[in-house]
Amino acid sequence: MEEISNLMHGFAVALTWKNLLFMFVGILLGVLIGVLPGLGGANGVAILLPLTFTMPPTSAIIMLSCIYWGALFGGAITSILFNIPGEPWSVATTFDGYPMAQKGHAGEALTAAFTSSFVGALVAVVLITFLAPLVAKFALKFGPPEYFAIQLLTFCSFIGMGREPPLKTLAAMMLGFALAAVGLDTVTGTLRMTFGTTHLLQGFDFLVAVIGLFGLGEILITMEEGLSFKGKSAKIDPKIVLRTWAKLPKYWVTSLRSCAIGCWMGITPGGATPASFMSYGMARRFSKTGEKFGDGEIEGVVAPETAAHAAGTSALLPMLTLGIPGSPTAAVLLGGLLIWGLQPGPLLFVEQKEFVWGLIASMYLGNIVGLLIVLTTVPWWAAILRIPFSIIAPVIVVICAIGAYTVHNNMFDVVMMLVFGVVGYLFKKLKYPLAPLVLALVLGDMAETAFRQSMLLSNGSMTIFFSNWLVGSIVTLALVILCYPLFTWFTGRLREKERRATEAR
Amino acid sequence: MGEQLFRRAVVAAGVAAGLAVASFPALAAWEPTKPVEFVVPAGTGGGADQMARFVQGVVAKHNLMKQPLIVVNKSGGAGAEGFLEVKNAKGDPHKIIITLSNLFTTPLATGVPFNWKDLTPVAMLALDEFVLWVNSESAYKTAGDYINAVKAGNAGQFKMAGTGSKQEDQIITVALEKVVGKKLTYIPFKGGGDVAVQLVGKHVDSTVNNPIEAVAHWRSGALRPLCVFDGKPMPYPAKVTATQSWQDIPTCKSAGVDVEYTMLRGIFMPPGVSQEQVDFYIDLFKKVRALPEWTKYTEDAAFNTTFMTGKEYVDWVTKAEATHKALMQEAGFLAK
Amino acid sequence: MATKNEVPAGAIRTRAVELAVALAIVAIGLVVVYDSHRVGVEWAEDGPRSGYFPNIIGWILTAAGGWIAGETLYRWKALGGAVFVKRDELKPVLLMLLPTIVYVGLVWLIGIYVASALYIGAFMRLQGRYGWLPALAVALGVPSAIFALFELWFLVPLPKGPIERMLGF
């Protein structure tokens, strides 16, 4: 196995004391970046990029990629503790992570999130190690129709939740799509729904909406219920990590499925955020306790975190082999490669063996180091909930405001965050679901662009979505998944009829 | 080759040192008193962003400025957000902006109220070239082959991928259509990297990627350059692939396609700043350009490294704006 | 039957909020439809125009909002008993919301650091009933930490006002 010897060589490159130190620093910085909403992994990597020019490229990329891992880990923390997703891909983690924290299980939720992240990343790194050339070729098969099919699949696997009134679900989703359409239309270059104001030029950012809807909205609801966080009295026990670990093997099917979804979405490249939604949706559908999702099921934390981390990791592969970044953070890393004089592309694996395998080895090491660091901090993070509400609430609002501002360095976004906060409060109280809204906001623009690019390619014919086995099977799968609840309902009815018939006899 | 590079580096370092000494009086005159925001009117990872971050990096590395340079992306509305921000920061000498063609195309196509005349021109750093690429598995070996195939095909049969809509790539496509006399199907994507990969994956027939966006795929043998949209071939004789260098790519004009287009990578400041302040930045970029890192960077990206300041620069921009207006008017891209 | 529709004094009924939100959704839907027509809603030969999807979305929004509004009005009497928020619950919500609105306005005027210090300090003093010392410590400590983190370390410029400018930033 050539890969194994290459990898061993990579470990030799990565495993120096200096590189381990860079890893450690990178992870810590990354966690910090992940915790602060708005200061995303992309920002962090971009900002620190210039500082790393004086290092050798291998050390620099190790540190930068560790910032990336750290940010992936850190995004879950505020999602679970305060319902504020530090990163877009941890939105789905709030659905069950935050209810868990409210019930006093913050430590368990954090442990489950970190551990699943680790598992997801590990599987993706193994995939990169052994299947890189194959996977890169596969990614080339993705043109606009395939992209659209992937987005359709994400959507179909997530919708159909049920608990909220269907009409309100529809309204929330359409509101998300409408918000996603604001700004410049990529396909024709015309401005939509900006009404002559320059503030709306950039459209509504997903993160700004989410910080407002989830974070600020939750604070308003908490205020209404009395000046305190629920679950603050939970005992913080260092053994919580071991106890949670004992529970996790039970969810191996979910974990495996989420890894597969994550790797698939990272490579295609659908991205970590859709991956986390898709994985959550699938887990809810296939879980025995699916109807309890949203009330604080540990499985509902495992699924999105595993997928997000697997996607985030495997997204580095198209970046290295094709030069297309699978995420904004990867885009900045890509810029870094170019500045160091390394050319990402098919030849990188041939010409820069030491660099590539050093990086891959550091993915293994960085994740292990990262897991150890974040797990040791679990009790401290959980302890934040014990800070009195009247201290932490204004601090959270300040951090939300900074988060909203830094997304585009725009004051208008802070105002929008406030508006979204009120909307979040109203919607939550009136039982409008927020999840379809944010999913539509994140997918709407991409899906529409891919759809219209496909239409340009096919001269306006829908048959393009069944023009080859790949796009055809994804679209079919999406439609099957969409109809699956109908099918189970129908068979359920049939069985009921049969049962009644036999009883009557 | 290695020796030549080394010599070049030494010369460049010498020039840098000389410049640093020569420009000392100018430095004493005015210098930034707080961090300077370097606005990028495009998203992270694109060509302008890369250049800005490269400049940020080398300025920090060689300590060319006492205050840090901070890259800020303001990409909303095809860059309009960034331009408006600089336009509205009247008299603020701690803000500079790097431009791409959207300096002209965005106000013309969207009607957002700004014009380069609202800004203070500082310097042209480089011009980015455009190359016509096809998949190397296609039968087209020269620009002539491809053009003949397009002429012989049906309208809209050949698909061209490009970055953005009503921007540089589509302008070139429209110009190409006019020469060939056949319509191409233009499909816009968000970034240049995506565009190149679409061509590698054979989802489209050709692209007009900038050299740096497609070079990796050229070297791996997946893409083939046909011609460059410039008056003369690119001046880089070093071999990029086993057999070809940038210099070996013929001009499109020589293949009978008289289309020339280069993209400005220039620096502007807010309106109402003093000449002294402009001079500081001109000087700063002169120093950056003298660095060996810059030489390597421009060679990798095959930039046309024309440097202009003052009236020469203003004249160039004025002319470029007129050209864009004419091209976009013909293409029907102007905002209604 | 008569008691069913009685709500505590000062409480806001759910039906009123429900109706207002539904009408707002209708309004947004109509705005979306209006703007879509400006950029073209038809399906041209090479695929849909810019406004094709927004137009459909706008109409669905309008219909969904209209339906919810209609349903609320239809069951207006029956819905009378549901309370959206009681007065003693609304008070803390407003005590959070109004200062936050003021805070966002202040960020615009005097920059994020001073505004944050005022906001945190005032909140701790008035809501948490903390003494001056802890209130001052947190109110000054948090913005200083943020300043160090963002401006100095990560070099992310945040909105600044006259006071920071006086100090040379």
Side-chain angles (χ1 to χ4, degrees):
Chain A
M1 288 292 261
E2 199 199 338
E3 284 89 0
I4 301 231
S5 68
N6 279 335
L7 186 64
M8 286 306 137
H9 179 67
F11 275 119
V13 173
L15 262 180
T16 64
W17 282 112
K18 224 165 114 192
N19 283 350
L20 274 179
L21 182 74
F22 285 142
M23 256 178 232
F24 191 77
V25 173
I27 296 275
L28 281 183
L29 279 176
V31 171
L32 192 67
I33 286 166
V35 165
L36 293 168
L39 198 63
N43 290 69
V45 174
I47 291 153
L48 294 176
L49 208 50
L51 306 181
T52 57
F53 290 144
T54 44
M55 302 177 187
T58 313
S59 300
I61 197 84
I62 286 175
M63 180 161 147
L64 287 175
S65 61
C66 279
I67 292 176
Y68 184 62
W69 308 133
L72 278 168
F73 278 121
I77 296 171
T78 41
S79 308
I80 290 171
L81 297 182
F82 304 119
N83 209 25
I84 304 169
E87 300 285 339
W89 53 75
S90 26
V91 172
T93 311
T94 62
F95 299 160
D96 277 279
Y98 182 66
M100 275 181 83
Q102 280 187 310
K103 287 183 186 165
H105 303 311
E108 277 167 57
L110 286 170
T111 310
F114 293 149
T115 315
S116 330
S117 301
F118 174 74
V119 171
L122 199 66
V123 170
V125 180
V126 171
L127 183 86
I128 291 182
T129 312
F130 295 103
L131 296 174
L134 214 71
V135 164
K137 264 205 198 100
F138 182 65
L140 278 177
K141 292 206 182 301
F142 279 75
E146 287 82 7
Y147 284 143
F148 176 73
I150 286 281
Q151 274 134 14
L152 187 70
L153 182 63
T154 309
F155 209 78
C156 291
S157 55
F158 191 77
I159 53 168
M161 4 193 13
R163 234 185 303 178
E164 280 85 4
L167 213 56
K168 288 185 173 173
T169 309
L170 186 71
M173 194 193 301
M174 289 303 143
L175 201 59
F177 279 129
L179 292 175
V182 175
L184 192 83
D185 167 25
T186 325
V187 180
T188 57
T190 37
L191 289 170
R192 292 193 294 199
M193 288 177 258
T194 56
F195 304 103
T197 66
T198 52
H199 293 306
L200 291 174
L201 282 178
Q202 65 202 349
F204 289 95
D205 191 273
F206 173 66
L207 208 53
V208 174
V210 160
I211 290 172
L213 290 172
F214 288 76
L216 202 57
E218 193 56 41
I219 288 201
L220 292 176
I221 293 208
T222 313
M223 283 301 283
E224 187 185 304
E225 291 163 355
L227 279 174
S228 71
F229 277 120
K230 288 184 210 156
K232 62 164 186 173
S233 56
K235 275 215 194 86
I236 307 299
D237 181 357
K239 285 205 199 79
I240 193 87
V241 173
L242 296 175
R243 265 191 281 123
T244 314
W245 274 2
K247 283 190 207 164
L248 287 179
K250 217 168 57 179
Y251 304 113
W252 67 274
V253 181
T254 304
S255 189
L256 211 62
R257 189 192 321 111
S258 308
C259 285
I261 292 174
C263 291
W264 162 265
M265 295 295 277
I267 290 159
T268 49
T273 312
S276 61
F277 276 96
M278 190 195 268
S279 174
Y280 182 86
M282 294 284 208
R284 186 183 49 209
R285 199 159 285 181
F286 291 114
S287 167
K288 276 184 214 118
T289 53
E291 73 282 356
K292 279 202 221 142
F293 269 49
D295 295 337
E297 277 289 293
I298 205 165
E299 204 175 349
V301 175
V302 171
E305 279 294 312
T306 312
H309 229 131
T313 308
S314 50
L316 291 178
L317 189 65
M319 177 193 103
L320 291 172
T321 55
L322 299 174
I324 39 166
S327 72
T329 316
V332 180
L333 278 176
L334 182 76
L337 290 182
L338 294 171
I339 293 170
W340 290 312
L342 297 171
Q343 226 161 40
L347 293 181
L348 193 68
F349 276 73
V350 184
E351 290 172 351
Q352 303 285 346
K353 264 201 161 129
E354 179 159 302
F355 171 81
V356 169
W357 288 101
L359 172 64
I360 292 179
S362 84
M363 290 182 184
Y364 286 96
L365 295 172
N367 267 297
I368 295 169
V369 174
L371 183 70
L372 291 177
I373 292 178
V374 290
L375 280 183
T376 48
T377 56
V378 162
W380 287 317
W381 290 117
I384 292 182
L385 286 181
R386 302 177 124 184
I387 300 175
F389 184 78
S390 44
I391 298 179
I392 200 78
V395 175
I396 291 177
V397 173
V398 167
I399 288 175
C400 284
I402 292 174
Y405 178 81
T406 46
V407 171
H408 287 296
N409 305 299
N410 196 327
M411 198 49 224
F412 184 71
D413 281 340
V414 184
V415 179
M416 280 325 300
M417 174 204 75
L418 193 60
V419 174
F420 277 118
V422 176
V423 171
Y425 171 75
L426 291 175
F427 270 28
K428 194 148 187 199
K429 293 213 74 178
L430 291 175
K431 296 200 168 53
Y432 284 86
L434 295 177
L437 196 161
V438 293
L439 183 68
L441 186 54
V442 79
L443 283 185
D445 192 32
M446 287 195 281
E448 194 201 345
T449 305
F451 181 82
R452 287 166 60 196
Q453 284 166 342
S454 311
M455 288 298 103
L456 286 172
L457 277 171
S458 71
N459 229 336
S461 159
M462 296 289 265
T463 51
I464 193 166
F465 295 118
F466 294 94
S467 59
N468 64 50
W469 64 269
L470 181 62
V471 63
S473 43
I474 303 174
V475 171
T476 312
L477 183 65
L479 295 178
V480 166
I481 288 178
L482 183 68
C483 300
Y484 181 76
L486 274 178
F487 174 75
T488 47
W489 176 79
F490 189 68
T491 50
R493 281 286 295 268
L494 273 184
R495 231 173 272 145
E496 181 82 353
K497 229 180 199 172
E498 235 164 65
R499 196 174 55 84
R500 271 199 208 141
T502 43
E503 266 169 20
R505 226 182 290 154
Chain B
M1 156 88 195
E3 194 194 351
Q4 191 193 347
L5 245 174
F6 174 70
R7 200 178 307 150
R8 198 178 295 160
V10 170
V11 171
V15 172
L19 271 171
V21 174
S23 59
F24 191 70
L27 252 172
W30 183 85
E31 60 180 314
T33 52
K34 61 177 196 177
V36 174
E37 273 182 45
F38 197 171
V39 180
V40 178
T44 42
D49 182 59
Q50 275 173 27
M51 188 180 270
R53 291 185 194 282
F54 171 81
V55 170
Q56 179 193 26
V58 293
V59 165
K61 188 173 167 187
H62 294 272
N63 217 358
L64 299 179
M65 213 164 85
K66 280 182 192 146
Q67 295 287 343
L69 198 59
I70 304 169
V71 174
V72 183
N73 295 83
K74 300 220 172 202
S75 59
E81 195 198 347
F83 290 116
L84 288 171
E85 152 121 5
V86 177
K87 177 187 166 180
N88 294 332
K90 199 171 164 44
D92 182 356
H94 296 101
K95 214 169 250 192
I96 57 177
I97 186 165
I98 186 165
T99 72
L100 36 157
S101 280
N102 62 0
L103 174 68
F104 311 117
T105 55
T106 297
L108 288 170
T110 62
V112 175
F114 80 85
N115 183 283
W116 67 270
K117 291 186 187 104
D118 298 330
L119 312 174
T120 310
V122 176
M124 173 196 286
L125 284 187
L127 292 169
D128 213 343
E129 305 278 6
F130 288 83
V131 173
L132 180 63
W133 302 88
V134 292
N135 192 299
S136 56
E137 284 171 36
S138 71
Y140 319 116
K141 302 272 186 241
T142 64
D145 291 351
Y146 185 66
I147 298 302
N148 289 336
V150 174
K151 277 183 181 159
N154 297 326
Q157 179 192 338
F158 283 83
K159 295 171 179 78
M160 172 80 87
T163 310
S165 188
K166 298 179 187 167
Q167 292 177 21
E168 55 279 359
D169 287 9
Q170 199 173 6
I171 290 176
I172 297 175
T173 306
V174 170
L176 196 63
E177 282 172 351
K178 251 184 31 194
V179 174
V180 182
K182 268 276 158 57
K183 209 170 149 35
L184 292 158
T185 300
Y186 178 82
I187 298 150
F189 288 86
K190 275 206 172 113
D194 292 328
V195 173
V197 170
Q198 290 296 319
L199 183 58
V200 175
K202 291 187 245 172
H203 302 285
V204 293
D205 300 300
S206 60
T207 70
V208 289
N209 273 114
N210 299 126
I212 198 162
E213 293 166 347
V215 62
H217 302 291
W218 182 26
R219 294 181 56 224
S220 74
L223 297 186
R224 178 184 300 141
L226 295 182
C227 63
V228 58
F229 295 95
D230 201 352
K232 53 184 192 307
M234 289 173 274
Y236 299 102
K239 289 268 179 283
V240 179
T241 66
T243 53
Q244 275 186 304
S245 68
W246 289 117
Q247 204 175 29
D248 297 335
I249 304 174
T251 61
C252 292
K253 197 173 179 177
S254 73
V257 182
D258 193 2
V259 178
E260 281 182 31
Y261 190 90
T262 49
M263 174 149 70
L264 173 65
R265 302 276 187 214
I267 304 291
F268 286 80
M269 281 180 79
V273 291
S274 72
Q275 187 57 43
E276 245 187 344
Q277 289 160 343
V278 174
D279 285 342
F280 170 84
Y281 291 103
I282 291 180
D283 197 60
L284 178 73
F285 283 106
K286 274 187 184 153
K287 284 186 222 159
V288 169
R289 286 174 52 88
L291 294 171
E293 285 99 332
W294 173 266
T295 314
K296 165 124 182 36
Y297 176 66
T298 49
E299 204 170 314
D300 283 347
F303 283 129
N304 175 335
T305 56
T306 316
F307 186 70
M308 288 181 192
T309 57
K311 188 171 175 309
E312 193 189 13
Y313 183 35
V314 173
D315 289 346
W316 190 94
V317 176
T318 314
K319 213 177 125 214
E321 189 196 21
T323 317
H324 277 92
K325 200 163 183 181
L327 284 170
M328 290 180 70
Q329 184 145 29
E330 275 176 50
F333 291 167
L334 294 187
K336 279 150 211 142
Chain C
M1 229 8 228
T3 51
K4 198 186 156 198
N5 280 349
E6 271 172 30
V7 294
I12 299 175
R13 283 190 171 94
T14 304
R15 63 182 187 193
V17 186
E18 185 86 80
L19 187 66
V21 169
L23 291 178
I25 289 174
V26 172
I28 293 171
L30 290 175
V31 167
V32 173
V33 170
Y34 167 79
D35 192 75
S36 308
H37 279 270
R38 184 182 60 84
V39 290
V41 296
E42 60 287 359
W43 185 291
E45 255 172 43
D46 54 353
R49 290 266 157 271
S50 292
Y52 181 84
F53 287 110
N55 183 45
I56 297 174
I57 289 163
W59 279 121
I60 298 180
L61 260 181
T62 312
W67 189 283
I68 297 169
E71 201 184 4
T72 311
L73 283 176
Y74 182 72
R75 298 173 51 206
W76 190 252
K77 280 238 172 81
L79 291 171
V83 175
F84 183 76
V85 62
K86 292 195 205 90
R87 179 176 259 177
D88 54 337
E89 288 170 348
L90 184 65
K91 207 179 135 199
V93 173
L94 288 181
L95 280 176
M96 184 81 217
L97 187 60
L98 297 179
T100 306
I101 294 172
V102 174
Y103 167 65
V104 171
L106 279 180
V107 171
W108 210 307
L109 289 174
I110 58 173
I112 206 157
Y113 298 107
V114 182
S116 301
L118 290 175
Y119 176 69
I120 296 173
F123 198 91
M124 279 180 70
R125 276 291 295 161
L126 302 175
Q127 295 255 0
R129 312 235 168 270
Y130 282 94
W132 278 108
L133 199 66
L136 268 180
V138 180
L140 295 179
V142 171
S144 313
I146 291 169
F147 184 82
L149 200 63
F150 281 81
E151 302 279 342
L152 303 181
W153 201 12
F154 284 114
L155 298 179
V156 178
L158 296 178
K160 285 179 283 282
I163 295 175
E164 288 92 340
R165 231 170 281 142
M166 248 166 51
L167 294 171
F169 284 100

